Amino acid sequence: MKKIIPALVLGTMVSLQSHAVVDKNFDYHVDRFADIEVLRYEVPEFDRLTLQQKKMLYYLTEAAQAGRDIIWDQNGRYNLQLRRLLENIYTGYKGDRNSKDFKAFEKYLKQVWFGNGIHHHYSNDKFVPEFSQSFLEGEIAALPDNMLPLLEGQTRNEMMSVLMPVIFDPSVMAKKVNQDGTQDVVATSAGNLYEGVTQAEVEAYYNSIKDLNDPTPISYGLNSKVVKENGKVKEEHYHLNGLYGDAIARILYWLGMAKEVAENDAQKAYITKLMDYYITGDLKLFDEYSILWAEDTKSDVDFVNGFIESYNDPLGMTGSWESYVNFKNSKSSARTETISSNAQWFEDNSPIDPRFRKPNVKGVSAKVITAAMLAGDAFPSTAIGINLPNTNWIRAAHGSKSVTLENITEAYDMASHGNGFNEEFVIDEPTRKLMDEYLYITDMLHTDLHECLGHASGQLLPGVDQDALKENGAALEEARADLFALYYLADPKLLELGILDNPDAYKAEYYKYMLNGLMTQLNRIEPGKDIEEAHMRNRQLVAAYVLDKGKKGKVVELVKKNGKTFVKINDYKKMREILGQLLAEIQRIKSEGDYAAGNALIQKYAVKVDPKLHKEVLDRYSRLDIPPYRGFINPRYTPVYDEKGEIIDVKLGYGENYVEQMLRLSRDYNTLIK
């Protein structure tokens, strides 16, 4: 599972001394359009890597980028064809590039790039073009035949008849992921994970093949598309000789190169197992790879590459393709290593029913990393923390590995200095001062605890299906991990361990979390719409529950000040008690597979938006001109060769802009559409 950066974007949060070593002159800002800002991130200490490590990192970044087309196709069956068409129009355009239609077209293309398809990466709603259909049709007519991305046997007119409604008709493929449990979420989701099947048929299919008594079940559906053929429901798997084979072949080539320069035998073993899995699609091999990967805590360079998180599947089963390439930040990792070494204490003292605690926490490792490449579903929008593997029995028997992407958090923070957010939304000067002093470290600790211990905590009762919570599973799991982290941020144990030096430091994160969950994340929602994205549902669920259950004692209030709404926390200790109560209930729901109770929590607290408060938040944000969403372009790695063709160095560069990088990726890593 992964932790996504929240909507809260603070101003001057903390002095530079609290950060890692950063270049004060580094330009983080790249582009701005629609509701998005594109940043770049720094890769500090790249030069300290050995040549072997640099070569491995380079090979892994190539393997990461080689899978780009997979996520585009998973997000929608027409995305690759549309991307090629839009890019060919953009690069070959002969008219006035300052015209209204072209500027609107350019904005749309940038949105499509950022969403890895025609749907918004967070809201899942289809982008609405601000240029006319006649403009696009005219530009398509001007393209020569060899510039048209026609599918085999398809004519120009046939392509137009398919793609025009996809772009312009709001009723066609309206939402990438629909999580409304009152509807058929499979039939009403536009993602390309199912074809010709209903939700009931998919659930019946998996129920027929699952063995709930198997103590080591595979992650059913993780690497497959479910279709109906001759009236029979079946899976089409992703592997070398199956779906996405051409992209997987290229990934395999670069993984093979990386294996030859692995840092140790353990790393070489899990790369080999990952390659075997990609070749066969056998999910038991994926489990074997996951165990080997989780148990390798010695390697400096590390990576994730595969079908991992299931947020884009309305049933929470199929993994979206993604990749992270990174290396260890040894200095900052001391913090996470202290936390992970005390994992059993945190588990034993969790405020949940002892039946749901792990009696023996195994193999919980954590480190702070420097991200070197983001790809697939992790690009351009990315997480700030990751905990894997996701499989419950592997976590219980073999442990898990957690990482905090500190240079990504640094980039978000450094790009936010002085934006006026604190003055607009934080209730008073003492609270702003507390956040200025302690929010950076407590926010990092929240990520550490969320990933390292939160996701790794608890256990299912025997016979409980790990997919029992269905469309609510992701939001409830993220809430569970957030609650675990929030509960322990206020625990004296962190002072005892020397991680915090002030017993009131946790209040900075508590205030930020409540402000974000109750108010500021609404900046990401269009007027009149519900909350859809799992992490946003999670945060509103937690904050709204605390507000509701703390009404009697006015634990937390929404108060008016000079005509504006503010969050006011009156009793931080009582708030912690309520967080513990909710953690206990959500852990019970997960451990027992109680879909009805989980759905009731989601529907009561996580989905609906107060329209009056929503309008106020949008109005106040508009005066600050802060984009609701941010993401990144990657640095570029260029090998240096000697006269024998051997790599003697790898150079790191930050020079590309957003358009240049996206066009280069489409040109150099085109694997699934010609």
Side-chain angles (χ1 to χ4, degrees):
M1 307 298 283
K2 59 186 179 181
K3 182 183 177 185
I4 302 294
I5 191 76
L8 186 68
V9 184
L10 293 177
T12 306
M13 293 204 304
V14 66
S15 65
L16 289 175
Q17 284 75 16
S18 298
H19 291 261
V21 177
V22 295
D23 181 356
K24 296 179 184 179
N25 298 315
F26 187 81
D27 185 5
Y28 293 92
H29 302 279
V30 178
D31 207 343
R32 175 83 183 269
F33 51 89
D35 56 357
I36 291 165
E37 183 176 22
V38 180
L39 306 174
R40 60 172 56 88
Y41 60 91
E42 195 175 4
V43 186
E45 299 195 331
F46 173 75
D47 289 338
R48 77 164 173 81
L49 299 178
T50 66
L51 176 59
Q52 179 183 349
Q53 290 172 324
K54 286 182 178 180
K55 288 167 71 173
M56 184 179 186
L57 187 144
Y58 168 67
Y59 296 144
L60 291 173
T61 63
E62 288 295 305
Q65 294 172 105
R68 181 185 187 229
D69 279 3
I70 297 176
I71 188 62
W72 280 76
D73 192 71
Q74 284 186 304
N75 284 345
R77 69 190 63 183
Y78 304 112
N79 282 337
L80 289 172
Q81 190 176 23
L82 273 169
R83 187 186 76 196
R84 175 60 63 85
L85 178 66
L86 296 174
E87 288 175 348
N88 286 350
I89 291 172
Y90 182 83
T91 56
Y93 186 71
K94 304 298 184 184
D96 179 6
R97 288 182 173 255
N98 291 314
S99 68
K100 182 179 178 180
D101 268 334
F102 184 80
K103 284 295 184 184
F105 174 80
E106 182 178 49
K107 174 184 172 181
Y108 180 78
L109 176 57
K110 288 181 176 182
Q111 289 176 295
V112 170
W113 279 331
F114 199 91
N116 293 316
I118 62 171
H119 296 90
H120 195 283
H121 73 287
Y122 222 80
S123 72
N124 288 307
D125 292 328
K126 190 166 73 169
F127 296 121
V128 178
E130 297 171 6
F131 53 88
S132 66
Q133 184 168 338
S134 61
F135 167 80
L136 185 62
E137 289 174 342
E139 293 307 313
I140 294 173
L143 286 177
D145 288 346
N146 64 353
M147 296 293 286
L148 292 174
L150 300 176
L151 303 181
E152 186 175 354
Q154 190 178 47
T155 67
R156 181 188 292 259
N157 288 338
E158 288 171 341
M159 181 193 74
M160 295 274 286
S161 67
V162 171
L163 297 186
M164 290 304 101
V166 170
I167 297 173
F168 292 102
D169 187 337
S171 67
V172 175
M173 304 181 75
K175 187 173 285 291
K176 181 175 70 176
V177 185
N178 178 23
Q179 293 180 312
D180 183 350
T182 65
Q183 303 179 34
D184 183 326
V185 296
V186 167
T188 55
S189 295
N192 192 22
L193 307 179
Y194 302 98
E195 187 171 344
V197 290
T198 66
Q199 178 179 351
E201 288 173 326
V202 174
E203 291 176 345
Y205 168 76
Y206 282 115
N207 287 337
S208 72
I209 63 174
K210 284 183 177 181
D211 179 2
L212 296 183
N213 294 314
D214 183 354
T216 60
I218 61 172
S219 299
Y220 291 94
L222 187 69
N223 65 338
S224 64
K225 177 178 180 179
V226 180
V227 302
K228 188 184 290 185
E229 186 176 278
N230 298 323
K232 185 177 181 180
V233 176
K234 58 175 285 191
E235 292 177 88
E236 294 182 345
H237 288 94
Y238 311 145
H239 58 82
L240 180 61
N241 295 311
L243 292 182
Y244 304 137
D246 288 345
I248 289 171
R250 195 161 175 181
I251 293 169
L252 282 166
Y253 171 80
W254 289 109
L255 289 178
M257 296 291 286
K259 185 175 76 169
E260 296 306 311
V261 291
E263 294 183 66
N264 49 57
D265 290 341
Q267 191 175 65
K268 182 175 288 188
Y270 79 68
I271 294 175
T272 301
K273 192 67 69 172
L274 176 60
M275 294 176 69
D276 291 342
Y277 158 66
Y278 265 134
I279 292 168
T280 64
D282 184 344
L283 283 168
K284 286 201 173 292
L285 291 177
F286 180 73
D287 287 343
E288 292 173 14
Y289 149 74
S290 297
I291 293 167
L292 292 172
W293 176 82
E295 292 178 344
D296 174 26
T297 60
K298 303 295 185 183
S299 301
D300 198 7
V301 175
D302 202 356
F303 72 102
V304 172
N305 188 302
F307 304 98
I308 309 295
E309 304 287 3
S310 58
Y311 301 104
N312 285 328
D313 180 355
L315 296 182
M317 299 180 70
T318 302
S320 297
W321 190 89
E322 67 177 39
S323 183
Y324 294 86
V325 182
N326 61 80
F327 57 91
K328 186 176 181 179
N329 179 331
S330 298
K331 182 178 179 181
S332 294
S333 290
R335 178 185 74 237
T336 55
E337 288 165 356
T338 298
I339 291 170
S340 62
S341 66
N342 286 274
Q344 190 66 59
W345 183 92
F346 288 99
E347 184 76 0
D348 291 344
N349 290 275
S350 178
I352 66 174
D353 189 316
R355 293 181 302 143
F356 309 142
R357 295 176 188 155
K358 287 180 178 175
N360 296 294
V361 177
K362 296 182 180 180
V364 174
S365 68
K367 61 183 176 180
V368 176
I369 63 170
T370 296
M373 181 64 63
L374 313 168
D377 200 39
F379 171 80
S381 177
T382 188
I384 56 173
I386 311 164
N387 178 271
L388 293 172
N390 285 329
T391 305
N392 286 289
W393 70 264
I394 294 179
R395 291 175 182 276
H398 301 277
S400 61
K401 188 187 293 185
S402 298
V403 297
T404 300
L405 288 71
E406 189 160 291
N407 63 323
I408 296 298
T409 303
E410 288 277 0
Y412 279 126
D413 184 47
M414 296 296 288
S416 299
H417 282 274
N419 61 16
F421 179 94
N422 291 14
E423 292 74 16
E424 180 60 42
F425 284 104
V426 179
I427 190 168
D428 53 33
E429 182 58 32
T431 307
R432 287 193 287 270
K433 183 177 179 181
L434 181 72
M435 295 171 80
D436 284 345
E437 189 168 0
Y438 286 106
L439 185 56
Y440 185 78
I441 181 59
T442 56
D443 213 23
M444 294 293 289
L445 277 171
H446 184 269
T447 302
D448 296 339
L449 290 164
H450 172 110
E451 297 296 347
C452 175
L453 302 182
H455 284 310
S457 68
Q459 62 180 354
L460 301 183
L461 294 182
V464 172
D465 185 352
Q466 65 179 5
D467 301 316
L469 302 182
K470 301 181 183 180
E471 72 276 3
N472 299 316
L476 290 169
E477 173 60 21
E478 293 304 322
R480 191 180 71 90
D482 264 0
L483 286 160
F484 191 100
L486 290 166
Y487 182 81
Y488 277 116
L489 268 176
D491 199 287
K493 186 69 172 181
L494 296 187
L495 298 170
E496 177 190 321
L497 294 173
I499 296 173
L500 290 175
D501 61 5
N502 185 331
D504 290 329
Y506 76 94
K507 294 178 180 179
E509 181 68 14
Y510 273 31
Y511 189 87
K512 184 216 79 167
Y513 197 95
M514 293 300 293
L515 174 59
N516 190 33
L518 293 173
M519 290 181 59
T520 53
Q521 75 168 3
L522 297 180
N523 188 40
R524 294 180 166 188
I525 303 295
E526 293 182 18
K529 292 196 173 181
D530 293 338
I531 295 176
E532 296 279 354
E533 200 276 335
H535 295 83
M536 292 183 71
R537 285 187 169 190
N538 141 41
R539 290 189 287 265
Q540 179 164 295
L541 164 60
V542 172
Y545 183 95
V546 171
L547 183 68
D548 181 35
K549 298 303 180 182
K551 276 182 180 178
K552 185 176 180 181
K554 293 187 176 180
V555 176
V556 180
E557 299 177 273
L558 291 177
V559 301
K560 288 289 186 179
K561 185 178 178 181
N562 299 323
K564 297 179 180 179
T565 304
F566 290 90
V567 171
K568 184 181 181 185
I569 302 179
N570 297 308
D571 191 336
Y572 282 91
K573 290 184 178 179
K574 184 62 177 177
M575 177 180 160
R576 187 194 184 211
E577 292 178 15
I578 298 172
L579 292 170
Q581 293 163 12
L582 181 57
L583 172 58
E585 173 59 5
I586 291 182
Q587 182 63 64
R588 182 199 67 78
I589 287 169
K590 177 166 184 175
S591 294
E592 295 181 350
D594 189 345
Y595 173 83
N599 189 58
L601 273 180
I602 291 290
Q603 296 306 319
K604 183 174 182 178
Y605 294 111
V607 178
K608 297 300 178 182
V609 174
D610 178 343
K612 187 175 179 181
L613 180 60
H614 189 192
K615 183 180 185 304
E616 179 190 334
V617 170
L618 293 175
D619 289 344
R620 290 166 69 180
Y621 252 113
S622 67
R623 292 192 287 272
L624 294 176
D625 194 32
I626 298 174
Y629 303 98
R630 283 172 159 172
F632 295 91
I633 60 170
N634 285 307
R636 190 171 183 180
Y637 299 88
T638 305
V640 179
Y641 297 92
D642 64 14
E643 63 278 1
K644 297 180 181 178
E646 298 290 332
I647 295 177
I648 57 174
D649 198 5
V650 177
K651 295 297 184 182
L652 173 63
Y654 301 103
E656 283 183 309
N657 65 33
Y658 179 61
V659 172
E660 290 168 342
Q661 181 155 122
M662 291 299 173
L663 289 175
R664 176 178 62 83
L665 291 175
S666 294
R667 182 183 67 247
D668 294 350
Y669 301 97
N670 169 44
T671 56
L672 298 181
I673 184 168
K674 305 303 180 185

